[in-house]
């Protein structure tokens, strides 16, 4: 090595073996074999600090939020609001513009019912992309049914990236709303949402970004993206299930009517009428998943302690390794090869059904997903009934990639 190069400071990165040891479930055996968990796009595993934060909340601080003056109530409220602040910092948005909810599905439905339903009408168009998850299709279909608006679909290039020229051409004057995934859960495509949302904004189109698969794998700056709404789900980012959030521009939050009515979202109620709470609380009726959000706050701390740039780099290495090995398997086809894609690999092996492959892999301790991945329109356009999907996370290892490939070769010999 050149001596000048040798003197460059070395950034060691995290000790990935120690990081992996933070996840208790990863020591499990399945069918007598060490678990190789490759289904993190479905739900991520949880580090001990998240599990302990939930446990500690129930053991020491459990009370309802925003309703009491007693000490436990104050502690619970502080913990819940503290989680909101942590998540807001993680996403680079203001905490008072972040609605906490059960996940992306609820978040997108909130936009559909509170923003779109009262505004859209016959003649308006909702633009979505071919790669959307059902959570970013079905709510818009319900809105279209009620309002007479129609849905237009932006198509993909053969490598699974969005056809940007086609998308911009589709942004005609009748389009009032654009609903788009930041990262595809099937193809791994990372959409250039910053550029796309700016184009939408120039044309007066309100943009909704589904960040379910982005928040766990990329450093996010929602303010820089410049969208109108951004949805995240906690259980894919090392947090508990039933947690998530919707970020909305302040002017939308103020103008939108509440979606669900009940306690906590009000200032004053009489039988003559109700004065609603302000900011995100207007949309948080009823007792929330307090312990879950405490866990999500711990998950955000955990991800930040590793560093999202490190997470992205590690997952990129694992993706490159897995892709290189998969490409050596005869008859194997990968769906989605967009440049800069996230660590999600959908594939099929000629002559083998996706569910059969996934079942045989399970016998080897390897957990992948098979099926339509809540993206029927995308799979229809790919011309397949189902795919296998291996999704990697920073806590996976190169040895696991090798184990997955060996198990796949064994299954292929049996099936294909
Ligand atoms: C791209 C995408 N959008 C939305 C969702 C729905 O998330 P949740 O079920 O957590 O609301 C998922 C989950 O698989 C997803 O991958």
């Amino acid at each position: 090595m050149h001596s000048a190069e040798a003197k460059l400071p070395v950034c060691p990165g995290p000790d990935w073996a120690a990081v992996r040891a933070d996840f208790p479930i990863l020591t499990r055996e399945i069918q007598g074999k060490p678990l190789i968990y490759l289904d993190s796009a479905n739900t991520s595993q949880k580090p001990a600090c998240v599990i302990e934060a939930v446990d500690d909340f129930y053991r020491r601080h459990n009370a309802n939020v925003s309703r009491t003056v007693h000490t436990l109530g104050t502690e619970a409220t502080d913990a819940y609001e503290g989680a909101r602040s942590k998540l807001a910092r993680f996403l680079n948005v203001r905490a008072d513009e972040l609605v906490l909810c059960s996940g992306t599905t609820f978040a997108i439905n909130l936009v559909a019912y509170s923003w779109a339903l009262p505004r859209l009408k016959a003649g308006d168009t909702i633009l979505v992309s071919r790669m959307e998850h059902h959570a970013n299709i079905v709510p818009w279909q319900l809105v279209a049914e009620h309002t007479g608006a129609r849905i237009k679909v932006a198509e993909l290039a053969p490598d699974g990236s969005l056809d940007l020229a086609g998308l911009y051409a589709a942004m005609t004057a009748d389009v009032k709303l654009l609903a788009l995934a930041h990262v595809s859960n099937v193809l791994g495509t990372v959409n250039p949402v910053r550029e796309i949302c700016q184009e939408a904004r120039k044309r007066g189109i309100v943009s909704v970004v589904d960040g379910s698969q982005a928040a766990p794998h990329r450093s996010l700056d929602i303010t820089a993206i410049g969208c109108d709404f951004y949805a995240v789900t906690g259980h894919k980012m090392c947090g508990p299930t039933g947690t998530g959030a919707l970020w909305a521009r302040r002017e939308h939050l103020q103008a939108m009517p509440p979606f669900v009515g009940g306690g906590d979202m009000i200032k004053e109620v009489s039988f003559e009428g109700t004065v609603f709470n302000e900011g995100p609380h207007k949309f948080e009726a009823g007792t929330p998943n307090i312990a879950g959000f405490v866990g999500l706050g711990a998950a955000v701390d955990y991800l930040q302690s590793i560093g999202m740039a490190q997470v992205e780099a590690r997952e990129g290495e694992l993706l490159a390794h897995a892709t290189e090995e998969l490409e050596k398997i005869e008859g194997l086809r990968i769906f989605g090869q967009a440049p800069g894609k996230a660590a999600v690999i959908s594939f099929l092996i000629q002559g083998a059904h996706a569910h059969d492959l996934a079942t045989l892999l399970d016998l080897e301790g390897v957990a992948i997903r098979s099926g339509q991945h809540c993206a029927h329109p995308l799979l229809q356009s790919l011309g397949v009934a189902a795919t296998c999907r291996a999704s990697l996370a920073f806590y996976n290892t190169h040895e696991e990639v090798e184990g997955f490939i060996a198990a796949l070769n064994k299954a292929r010999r049996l099936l294909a």
Side-chain angles (χ1 to χ4, degrees):
M1 189 187 280
H2 192 277
S3 59
E5 278 175 20
K7 282 185 200 138
L8 285 175
V10 180
C11 177
D15 173 352
W16 291 112
V19 167
R20 181 181 171 79
D22 291 333
F23 291 79
I25 204 170
L26 297 180
T27 58
R28 257 206 73 174
E29 293 199 337
I30 303 287
Q31 319 277 3
K33 312 261 169 64
L35 166 67
I36 299 180
Y37 186 76
L38 303 181
D39 197 19
S40 294
N42 207 353
T43 196
S44 67
Q45 294 303 349
K46 322 300 174 200
C49 62
V50 170
I51 300 166
E52 283 157 13
V54 174
D55 181 83
D56 180 65
F57 176 79
Y58 280 127
R59 283 181 195 279
R60 292 169 27 86
H61 308 287
N62 181 48
N64 212 328
V65 290
S66 316
R67 292 179 184 183
T68 58
V69 294
H70 62 68
T71 301
L72 286 185
T74 307
E75 287 176 7
T77 305
D78 287 350
Y80 178 70
E81 291 303 329
R84 189 195 309 274
S85 301
K86 285 179 187 183
L87 187 59
R89 277 196 298 277
F90 185 70
L91 303 172
N92 194 29
V93 295
R94 290 176 56 119
D96 61 3
E97 295 172 356
L98 197 61
V99 180
L100 300 184
C101 60
S102 61
T104 305
T105 302
F106 187 94
I108 295 174
N109 275 278
L110 171 54
V111 183
Y113 282 90
S114 271
W115 187 89
L117 202 57
R119 284 171 183 76
L120 299 193
K121 55 184 187 327
D124 291 340
T125 297
I126 300 166
L127 181 58
V128 300
S129 89
R130 170 69 61 184
M131 70 177 80
E132 297 315 308
H133 185 281
H134 295 162
N136 208 17
I137 298 174
V138 181
W140 309 122
Q141 288 176 330
L142 294 172
V143 168
E145 214 169 274
H146 280 88
T147 60
R150 72 179 190 111
I151 290 178
K152 188 151 77 172
V153 182
E155 297 295 346
L156 311 184
D159 68 354
S161 54
L162 253 183
D163 169 5
L164 286 183
L167 177 74
Y168 297 147
M171 289 184 179
T172 46
D174 54 314
V175 175
K176 296 291 182 289
L177 186 132
L178 166 71
L180 182 66
H182 192 163
V183 176
S184 161
N185 64 313
V186 178
L187 305 168
T189 307
V190 180
N191 288 316
V193 285
R194 185 173 178 168
E195 174 191 323
I196 293 169
C197 292
Q198 278 166 10
E199 289 298 322
R201 204 162 171 74
K202 271 191 225 159
R203 294 163 170 83
I205 299 169
V206 163
S207 54
V208 184
V209 180
D210 172 355
S212 307
Q213 299 289 349
H217 307 293
R218 294 289 187 273
S219 174
L220 282 185
D221 183 345
I222 293 178
T223 303
I225 291 171
C227 53
D228 289 275
F229 298 98
Y230 196 102
V232 297
T233 200
H235 70 95
K236 295 187 200 288
M237 42 193 289
C238 296
T241 53
T243 62
L246 175 74
W247 173 79
R249 280 182 189 272
R250 176 172 301 251
E251 65 261 30
H252 294 318
L253 276 189
Q254 279 169 350
M256 283 159 56
F259 172 36
V260 181
D264 281 338
M265 48 78 73
I266 51 87
K267 264 188 185 155
E268 229 180 272
V269 178
S270 72
F271 282 111
E272 282 65 54
T274 292
V275 181
F276 300 121
N277 228 326
E278 276 157 18
H281 297 100
K282 183 168 78 175
F283 303 99
E284 295 175 13
T287 300
N289 182 1
I290 308 165
F293 282 102
V294 171
L296 182 57
V300 165
D301 285 343
Y302 181 75
L303 289 174
Q304 278 175 330
S305 74
I306 297 173
M308 293 312 288
Q310 302 277 13
V311 164
E312 182 178 342
R314 170 76 173 169
E315 292 176 352
E317 273 172 27
L318 293 167
L319 172 68
H321 182 186
T323 306
E324 192 186 325
E325 293 301 321
L326 286 169
E327 281 172 344
K328 291 180 190 159
I329 297 177
E330 210 188 302
L332 187 142
R333 176 178 168 204
I334 294 178
F335 299 87
Q337 297 271 34
K341 68 176 272 193
V344 172
I345 314 170
S346 285
F347 64 93
L348 275 179
I349 295 181
Q350 207 174 8
H353 194 282
H355 290 314
D356 292 341
L357 272 174
T359 306
L360 287 176
L361 286 184
D362 185 54
L363 293 176
E364 301 298 317
V366 182
I368 62 161
R369 184 169 174 188
S370 56
Q372 302 207 341
H373 317 295
C374 299
H376 289 188
L378 173 59
L379 267 79
Q380 279 155 17
S381 79
L382 295 172
V384 293
T387 71
C388 291
R389 183 185 73 182
S391 50
L392 299 146
F394 58 89
Y395 44 72
N396 289 124
T397 64
H398 288 286
E399 292 70 36
E400 286 184 311
V401 170
E402 300 287 344
F404 161 53
I405 298 295
L408 198 56
N409 273 317
K410 190 170 169 188
R412 179 179 158 270
R413 283 194 292 277
L414 286 171
L415 291 173

